[in-house]
Coordinates of all heavy atoms in Angstrom, one line a residue:
F127 N 0.5 39.8 -28.9 CA -0.7 39.9 -29.8 C -2.0 39.9 -29.0 O -2.1 39.5 -27.9 CB -0.6 38.9 -30.9 CG 0.5 39.0 -31.8 CD1 1.7 38.4 -31.6 CD2 0.4 39.7 -33.0 CE1 2.9 38.6 -32.4 CE2 1.5 39.8 -33.8 CZ 2.7 39.2 -33.5
A128 N -3.0 40.3 -29.8 CA -4.4 40.3 -29.2 C -4.9 39.0 -28.7 O -5.6 38.8 -27.8 CB -5.3 41.1 -30.1
D129 N -4.6 37.9 -29.5 CA -5.0 36.6 -29.3 C -4.0 35.6 -29.7 O -3.0 35.9 -30.4 CB -6.4 36.3 -29.9 CG -6.3 36.7 -31.4 OD1 -5.7 36.1 -32.1 OD2 -7.1 37.6 -31.8
E130 N -4.1 34.3 -29.4 CA -3.2 33.3 -29.6 C -3.2 33.0 -31.1 O -2.2 32.6 -31.7 CB -3.5 32.0 -28.8 CG -2.5 31.0 -29.0 CD -2.7 29.8 -28.0 OE1 -3.5 30.0 -26.9 OE2 -2.1 28.8 -28.1
A131 N -4.4 33.1 -31.8 CA -4.5 32.8 -33.2 C -3.6 33.7 -34.0 O -2.8 33.3 -34.9 CB -5.9 32.8 -33.7
S132 N -3.6 35.0 -33.7 CA -2.8 36.0 -34.4 C -1.3 35.7 -34.1 O -0.4 35.9 -35.1 CB -3.1 37.4 -34.0 OG -4.5 37.7 -34.2
A133 N -1.0 35.3 -32.9 CA 0.4 35.0 -32.5 C 0.9 33.9 -33.3 O 2.0 33.8 -33.8 CB 0.6 34.8 -31.0
Q134 N 0.1 32.8 -33.4 CA 0.4 31.6 -34.1 C 0.6 31.9 -35.6 O 1.6 31.4 -36.2 CB -0.7 30.5 -34.0 CG -0.4 29.2 -34.7 CD 0.8 28.5 -34.2 OE1 0.9 28.3 -32.9 NE2 1.7 28.0 -35.0
E135 N -0.2 32.7 -36.2 CA 0.0 33.0 -37.6 C 1.3 33.8 -37.9 O 2.0 33.6 -38.9 CB -1.3 33.9 -38.1 CG -1.2 34.3 -39.6 CD -2.4 35.1 -39.9 OE1 -3.3 35.2 -39.1 OE2 -2.5 35.5 -41.1
F136 N 1.6 34.7 -36.9 CA 2.8 35.5 -37.1 C 4.1 34.6 -37.0 O 5.1 34.7 -37.6 CB 2.9 36.6 -36.1 CG 4.1 37.5 -36.2 CD1 4.2 38.5 -37.2 CD2 5.2 37.3 -35.3 CE1 5.3 39.3 -37.3 CE2 6.3 38.1 -35.4 CZ 6.4 39.1 -36.4
L137 N 4.0 33.7 -36.0 CA 5.1 32.7 -35.9 C 5.4 31.9 -37.0 O 6.5 31.6 -37.4 CB 4.9 31.8 -34.6 CG 5.9 30.8 -34.2 CD1 7.3 31.5 -34.0 CD2 5.6 29.9 -33.1
Q138 N 4.3 31.4 -37.7 CA 4.4 30.6 -38.9 C 5.2 31.4 -40.0 O 6.0 31.0 -40.8 CB 3.0 30.2 -39.5 CG 2.4 29.1 -38.6 CD 1.1 28.7 -39.0 OE1 0.6 29.3 -40.0 NE2 0.4 27.7 -38.4
L139 N 4.9 32.7 -40.1 CA 5.5 33.5 -41.0 C 7.0 33.7 -40.6 O 7.9 33.8 -41.5 CB 4.9 34.9 -41.2 CG 5.4 36.0 -42.1 CD1 5.4 35.5 -43.5 CD2 4.7 37.3 -42.0
A140 N 7.3 34.0 -39.4 CA 8.6 34.2 -38.9 C 9.5 32.9 -39.1 O 10.7 33.0 -39.4 CB 8.7 34.6 -37.4
D141 N 8.9 31.8 -39.1 CA 9.6 30.5 -39.3 C 10.0 30.3 -40.7 O 10.8 29.4 -41.1 CB 8.8 29.3 -38.8 CG 8.8 29.3 -37.2 OD1 9.6 29.9 -36.6 OD2 7.8 28.7 -36.7
T142 N 9.3 31.0 -41.7 CA 9.6 30.8 -43.1 C 10.9 31.5 -43.5 O 11.1 32.7 -43.2 CB 8.4 31.5 -43.9 OG1 7.2 30.9 -43.5 CG2 8.7 31.3 -45.4
P143 N 11.9 30.8 -44.1 CA 13.2 31.5 -44.4 C 12.9 32.6 -45.4 O 12.1 32.5 -46.3 CB 13.9 30.3 -45.1 CG 13.3 29.1 -44.6 CD 11.9 29.4 -44.3
G144 N 13.7 33.6 -45.2 CA 13.6 34.8 -46.0 C 12.5 35.8 -45.8 O 12.2 36.7 -46.6
S145 N 11.7 35.6 -44.6 CA 10.6 36.4 -44.4 C 10.9 37.7 -43.6 O 10.0 38.5 -43.3 CB 9.5 35.6 -43.6 OG 10.1 35.2 -42.4
G146 N 12.2 37.9 -43.2 CA 12.6 39.1 -42.5 C 12.9 38.7 -41.0 O 12.9 37.5 -40.7
T147 N 13.1 39.8 -40.3 CA 13.5 39.6 -38.9 C 13.1 40.7 -38.1 O 12.6 41.7 -38.6 CB 15.0 39.3 -38.8 OG1 15.4 39.0 -37.5 CG2 15.8 40.6 -39.2
I148 N 13.4 40.6 -36.7 CA 13.2 41.8 -35.8 C 14.5 42.3 -35.6 O 15.5 41.6 -35.2 CB 12.5 41.2 -34.5 CG1 11.1 40.6 -34.7 CG2 12.3 42.4 -33.6 CD1 10.1 41.5 -35.4
I149 N 14.7 43.6 -35.6 CA 16.0 44.3 -35.6 C 16.5 44.2 -34.1 O 15.7 44.4 -33.2 CB 15.8 45.8 -36.0 CG1 15.3 45.8 -37.5 CG2 17.2 46.5 -35.9 CD1 15.0 47.3 -37.9
D150 N 17.8 43.9 -34.0 CA 18.4 43.8 -32.7 C 18.3 45.2 -32.0 O 18.6 46.2 -32.5 CB 19.8 43.3 -32.8 CG 20.5 43.4 -31.5 OD1 20.1 42.7 -30.5 OD2 21.6 44.1 -31.4
F151 N 18.0 45.1 -30.7 CA 17.8 46.4 -29.9 C 19.1 47.2 -29.7 O 19.2 48.4 -29.9 CB 17.2 46.1 -28.6 CG 16.8 47.3 -27.8 CD1 15.8 48.1 -28.1 CD2 17.7 47.7 -26.7 CE1 15.5 49.2 -27.3 CE2 17.5 48.9 -26.0 CZ 16.3 49.7 -26.2
A152 N 20.1 46.4 -29.3 CA 21.4 47.2 -29.1 C 22.1 47.7 -30.4 O 22.7 48.7 -30.4 CB 22.5 46.2 -28.4
T153 N 21.8 46.9 -31.4 CA 22.3 47.5 -32.7 C 21.5 48.7 -33.2 O 22.1 49.7 -33.7 CB 22.1 46.3 -33.9 OG1 22.9 45.1 -33.4 CG2 22.6 46.8 -35.1
E154 N 20.2 48.7 -33.0 CA 19.4 49.8 -33.4 C 19.6 51.1 -32.6 O 19.7 52.2 -33.1 CB 17.9 49.5 -33.2 CG 16.9 50.5 -33.8 CD 15.5 50.1 -33.6 OE1 15.0 50.1 -32.5 OE2 14.9 49.8 -34.6
T155 N 19.9 50.9 -31.3 CA 20.2 52.0 -30.4 C 21.7 52.3 -30.2 O 22.1 53.1 -29.4 CB 19.5 51.8 -29.1 OG1 20.0 50.5 -28.5 CG2 18.0 51.6 -29.2
R156 N 22.6 51.5 -30.8 CA 24.0 51.7 -30.8 C 24.5 51.5 -29.3 O 25.2 52.4 -28.7 CB 24.5 53.0 -31.3 CG 24.1 53.3 -32.7 CD 24.5 54.6 -33.2 NE 24.2 54.8 -34.7 CZ 24.5 55.9 -35.3 NH1 25.2 56.9 -34.7 NH2 24.1 56.0 -36.6
R157 N 24.1 50.4 -28.7 CA 24.4 50.2 -27.3 C 25.4 49.0 -27.1 O 25.7 48.7 -26.0 CB 23.1 49.8 -26.5 CG 22.1 51.0 -26.6 CD 22.2 52.0 -25.5 NE 21.9 51.3 -24.2 CZ 20.6 51.2 -23.7 NH1 19.7 51.6 -24.5 NH2 20.4 50.7 -22.5
W158 N 25.9 48.4 -28.2 CA 26.9 47.4 -28.0 C 28.2 48.0 -27.5 O 28.6 49.0 -28.0 CB 27.1 46.6 -29.3 CG 26.0 45.7 -29.6 CD1 25.1 45.8 -30.6 CD2 25.9 44.4 -29.1 NE1 24.3 44.7 -30.6 CE2 24.8 43.8 -29.7 CE3 26.5 43.6 -28.0 CZ2 24.3 42.5 -29.3 CZ3 26.1 42.4 -27.7 CH2 24.9 41.9 -28.3
P159 N 28.8 47.4 -26.5 CA 30.0 48.1 -26.0 C 31.2 48.0 -26.8 O 32.1 48.9 -26.7 CB 30.2 47.3 -24.7 CG 29.6 46.0 -24.8 CD 28.4 46.3 -25.7
G160 N 31.3 47.1 -27.7 CA 32.5 46.9 -28.6 C 32.0 46.7 -30.0 O 31.3 47.5 -30.6
D161 N 32.5 45.6 -30.6 CA 32.2 45.2 -31.9 C 30.6 45.0 -32.0 O 30.0 44.4 -31.1 CB 32.9 43.9 -32.4 CG 34.4 44.2 -32.4 OD1 34.8 45.3 -32.6 OD2 35.1 43.2 -32.3
V162 N 30.1 45.4 -33.1 CA 28.7 45.3 -33.4 C 28.4 44.0 -34.2 O 28.9 44.0 -35.3 CB 28.0 46.5 -34.1 CG1 26.6 46.4 -34.4 CG2 28.3 47.8 -33.3
P163 N 27.6 43.1 -33.7 CA 27.4 41.9 -34.4 C 26.5 42.2 -35.7 O 25.6 43.0 -35.7 CB 26.7 41.0 -33.5 CG 26.0 42.0 -32.5 CD 26.9 43.1 -32.4
A164 N 26.7 41.5 -36.8 CA 26.0 41.6 -38.0 C 24.7 40.8 -38.1 O 23.8 41.1 -38.8 CB 26.9 41.4 -39.2
F165 N 24.7 39.7 -37.3 CA 23.6 38.8 -37.4 C 23.3 38.3 -38.8 O 22.2 37.9 -39.1 CB 22.4 39.3 -36.8 CG 22.4 39.6 -35.3 CD1 22.7 40.8 -34.7 CD2 22.2 38.4 -34.4 CE1 22.7 40.9 -33.3 CE2 22.3 38.6 -33.0 CZ 22.6 39.9 -32.5
A166 N 24.4 38.2 -39.6 CA 24.3 37.6 -40.9 C 24.6 36.0 -40.8 O 25.5 35.6 -40.0 CB 25.3 38.1 -41.8
N167 N 23.7 35.2 -41.5 CA 23.8 33.8 -41.4 C 23.6 33.4 -39.9 O 24.3 32.4 -39.4 CB 25.1 33.2 -41.9 CG 25.2 33.6 -43.4 OD1 24.3 33.2 -44.2 ND2 26.3 34.2 -43.7
A168 N 22.8 34.1 -39.1 CA 22.6 33.8 -37.7 C 21.7 32.5 -37.5 O 20.9 32.2 -38.4 CB 22.0 35.0 -37.0
A169 N 21.8 31.9 -36.4 CA 20.9 30.8 -36.0 C 19.6 31.3 -35.5 O 19.7 32.5 -34.9 CB 21.6 29.9 -35.0
Y170 N 18.5 30.7 -35.7 CA 17.2 31.3 -35.4 C 16.4 30.3 -34.6 O 16.6 29.1 -34.7 CB 16.4 31.5 -36.8 CG 14.9 31.7 -36.5 CD1 14.4 32.9 -36.1 CD2 14.1 30.6 -36.7 CE1 13.0 33.0 -35.9 CE2 12.7 30.7 -36.6 CZ 12.2 31.9 -36.1 OH 10.8 32.1 -35.9
A171 N 15.7 30.8 -33.7 CA 14.7 30.0 -32.9 C 13.5 30.8 -32.6 O 13.6 32.0 -32.3 CB 15.4 29.5 -31.5
G172 N 12.3 30.1 -32.7 CA 11.0 30.8 -32.4 C 10.2 29.9 -31.5 O 10.2 28.7 -31.6
A173 N 9.3 30.5 -30.7 CA 8.4 29.8 -29.8 C 7.2 30.6 -29.6 O 7.2 31.8 -29.7 CB 9.2 29.4 -28.5

């Protein structure tokens, strides 16, 4: 982000349950070599 304040505001939103997610890169580009993970009920971490 352009500054730390904008980044902090976005992280607070991302930490809120049900606010959405960032789409997995290999899933979006179909690059997983085998089974494709669904990331349903996934564990989350943000920093």
Side-chain angles (χ1 to χ4, degrees):
F127 292 86
D129 50 64
E130 187 172 349
S132 300
Q134 179 66 45
E135 183 179 357
F136 183 80
L137 179 60
Q138 290 178 356
L139 178 62
D141 289 342
T142 304
S145 60
T147 185
I148 303 298
I149 302 173
D150 174 59
F151 182 77
T153 302
E154 186 180 71
T155 58
R156 300 181 180 180
R157 300 271 292 277
W158 283 104
D161 295 335
V162 179
F165 289 101
N167 297 307
Y170 162 82

